[in-house]
Structures are given as C-alpha cells and as structure tokens.
Amino acid sequence: MFSRFRKKPEARRYLLRVALAMVIYLASLFAAEILIEDQGMSGLPAYLLAALPGISFAAVFWIFARLIIEERDEFLRLLYVRQVMVATGIALTAAAVWGFLETYLPVPHVAAFWWPTIWFFGIGVGAFYNKMTMGSAGECV
Amino acid sequence: MKNRLRVLRAEREWSQQDLADRLDVSRQSVNAIETGKYDPSLPLAFRIADVFALRIEEIFLREVDAQAAQ
C-alpha cells in the first residue's frame, strides 16, 4: 500500500542533503546570534561565522543541481529543470524590481538574504506549475 | 506526438506502474508520455519499443499520420 510513496534513492539523497544543510544553517544562525550579537565576537572569526548561514543556505542550489545530475528519469529531470527556471525567474525578477524601487523611491530596504528565500518559495511555485501543466510535481515535494 | 501506449498497455493488462517498472522510469513518466505531455528521448523510445516487441513507428505516430488515421 505504501510502496507508491517510497522515495527513489535520488529523491531520498536530495531530502537528506536539504535536511543536513538546514541543520547547519540553523546551528550557524544561532551561533552567530549568540557569539556575534550577544557576546561581541569580532575580527576574522566573526566574518567567517556571519558568512556560514549564507553558505549553508546557498548549499541548496548545489543540492538541487546534484538532484538534476543524479536523476536517471528523464521526465523527472525535465520537471526539476523547469522548477529551477520558475524559481530563478521569480527570485531574480523580484530582486531586480525591488532594487530599482529602492534606488528611485522611498521603499523599505530588503536584506539580500531574502532573495534566495524567495527562490525557495519559487521552487514551490515551480512544483505547482509542473503539476498544473505536466500532471506531476516530481518526487521531491 | 501521438502514441498508442495506453492501448498497448491495456492489451497486456499492465498498469502504468507495471510499464514504468519494465522501463525503469517513474509512473509519472509513463502517464506524461501516454497523455502526450512529454515526448520521450530516442533511447527511451527504443526501450519502450523493446518492451512491447514493436518498432518505434508502430507505437509513436507523426502528427500527419495521426491526423490521417482519424
């Protein structure tokens, strides 16, 4: 009964990698909050620690690329590529539009880490788009 | 591109999952090919032909042939 819900090895690896990246992200975020914000860490270690949440965040791009490379099913590969294109289109459009709004109008500043966050949101939109147009959202949702 | 996948599968009383297992692809792939949402690559088309012991052109129909058959 549950066999149809069993994930393929590629999808399992993807989910495991995302989970690991998120654990590192949260751990480094908390460490930066405590050591830099609360305890005043400075210098090179502070810069490295402050960069760590962003690097683990960005690991998801590498993880998605690995999924596309490792996926043996050509149709699922197509779905993942379409998903990435939708997400990238949404995130870069949002970044470009808001950048110009900030330049010319008195709108609030948006921290740069929101653009990859919007990319993750776009991955969800891409899965929905695939479901609507191709009949499947793939195996990683 | 039109294809006869659903008919050929039904003749053999295979589910989409049965065919997917024989082709080593996902059930979603079989569904997308059957419904014409996705045209398989040439290597996959050959695998499909092998599974049904038919030639590719006996499974996949060019649009002009499909229109003429209607």
Side-chain angles (χ1 to χ4, degrees):
Chain A
M1 173 185 178
F2 293 103
S3 62
R4 63 193 292 257
F5 297 110
R6 216 178 291 140
K7 298 281 186 194
K8 292 170 58 189
E10 298 90 335
R12 276 207 307 273
R13 273 199 298 274
Y14 165 79
L15 293 170
L16 187 68
R17 285 167 177 164
V18 168
L20 188 64
M22 287 303 104
V23 167
I24 295 170
Y25 165 71
L26 288 173
S28 58
L29 192 65
F30 278 113
E33 281 289 326
I34 293 166
L35 295 174
I36 300 173
E37 289 281 292
D38 299 345
Q39 297 185 13
M41 178 193 261
S42 61
L44 185 63
Y47 278 92
L48 291 175
L49 184 56
L52 205 52
I55 291 168
S56 53
F57 214 58
V60 176
F61 302 116
W62 174 83
I63 291 167
F64 219 93
R66 288 307 308 171
L67 173 69
I68 292 168
I69 292 165
E70 291 172 10
E71 178 58 67
R72 290 171 301 124
D73 188 311
E74 60 184 47
F75 174 65
L76 294 180
R77 218 162 40 226
L78 171 74
L79 294 184
Y80 300 147
V81 170
R82 285 164 54 102
Q83 230 177 316
V84 168
M85 288 173 73
V86 169
T88 305
I90 290 172
L92 292 184
T93 302
V97 169
W98 199 260
F100 283 109
L101 285 177
E102 276 191 32
T103 303
Y104 296 115
L105 293 167
V107 294
H109 174 67
V110 173
F113 56 70
W114 281 106
W115 308 125
T117 308
I118 288 174
W119 188 86
F120 297 142
F121 166 76
I123 284 291
V125 176
F128 180 72
Y129 172 68
N130 278 339
K131 181 74 181 168
M132 291 296 105
T133 57
M134 301 294 273
S136 173
E139 293 206 329
C140 291
V141 288
Chain B
M1 192 165 55
K2 302 265 186 202
N3 68 76
R4 298 176 54 230
L5 220 57
R6 191 185 295 274
V7 173
L8 294 169
R9 186 171 59 74
E11 284 172 0
R12 287 157 181 77
E13 297 184 345
W14 292 345
S15 66
Q16 286 187 340
Q17 188 62 59
D18 291 334
L19 179 57
D21 291 343
R22 284 175 163 83
L23 294 169
D24 193 25
V25 298
S26 61
R27 189 198 57 78
Q28 295 100 308
S29 299
V30 171
N31 185 58
I33 295 167
E34 274 190 7
T35 53
K37 292 192 168 96
Y38 176 68
D39 291 331
S41 67
L42 201 50
L44 179 54
F46 273 115
R47 288 216 309 274
I48 293 169
D50 288 344
V51 163
F52 288 113
L54 293 167
R55 288 177 295 148
I56 286 179
E57 56 268 37
E58 291 176 302
I59 302 171
F60 295 96
L61 312 170
R62 281 176 291 196
E63 289 296 330
V64 283
D65 294 339
Q67 282 166 6
Q70 284 171 357

